[in-house]
Amino acid sequence: MSKIKLITDGGADIKPSVAERYNIRVIPFSYTFDGENYCRTGIDETTDEFYARMRASEVLPKTTQITPAQYTEAYLEEIEKGYDTIIVVSLSSTASGACQNAIMAAKEVMEDNNCDIRVVDSQSFTCLYGQPVIHAAHMIEDGASVDEIENYLKKATADINAVFVVDDLIYLKKGGRINAATLLFANMLDIKPMLMVGGGLVVQADKVRGEKRVHKKIMDMATEHCGDLNGKTVIFVYGDVPDKRDKLEADVKERFPEVNVKFCRIGQLIGCHIGPTVYGMVYSTSGEFDIGDYEEE
């Protein structure tokens, strides 16, 4: 029987305590502020410290790739511990070269070692693939085969999506994603972009004026896919705006009083690109995947 090890990256926003509990290896991404202060996601500074520094900085931090050498080192260390099968779940290959680096390293390691390494491209971000990784850890505990786990991961990462909003567009301006004129126009009209994951990227699905309409739109977009949220689990994601998260939760519970609620704080990797004012809701688009075993801590 195969001895299976799960590996993911820092973009999945799985907290160290949860990763340790479920024997998940998390390879961190790295980032810098103003070309200095080299940090590893989830290791070198807390999420609070990261967002405080981001709010004070004139420019967004820059992220760097996980290299093939880092993956190779991780694979060999796990093989040395007795694992003969490794499943890697990576950040979207459309947005990052990390997935391709994981595949490249896997091919080289498998040539010289009697092992099976499978890389699943999540085509996604944050707990949208962090949740399936945690569920896969439960599957390993229950004795599922590598084929069963790989099949689940491919289906779940394709199904789980989110609708979210960036409350303050200044961070998109700092990152060069919008220009000054667009920022001024959006602020004047209180326009908020509604974002989803599509084609392995974060894409604008709509735009709405005013917070009250934003929350209604989030719920409408979610239920358009998966129907009534009562009895289902959603994960509220947020950067550094717990007040916005709490207001969205209250609005969702008012409309769907029997909804089950989890929380995920968006970490440094995604925060580097979108800023601290992001928040929204993650759900199974088909309603077929139970995301209730997600754990923030």
Side-chain angles (χ1 to χ4, degrees), residues 242-259:
D243 56 329
K244 301 289 185 182
R245 175 206 66 190
D246 292 346
K247 181 63 168 64
L248 175 60
E249 180 192 3
D251 288 345
V252 171
K253 283 185 173 179
E254 181 178 4
R255 183 168 167 183
F256 302 103
E258 300 302 318
V259 68

Side-chain angles (χ1 to χ4, degrees), residues 233-237 260-264 291-295:
T233 299
V234 299
I235 303 173
F236 290 105
V237 292
N260 301 313
V261 170
K262 300 282 185 174
F263 300 99
C264 172
I291 57 177
D293 55 7
Y294 182 77
E295 294 186 36

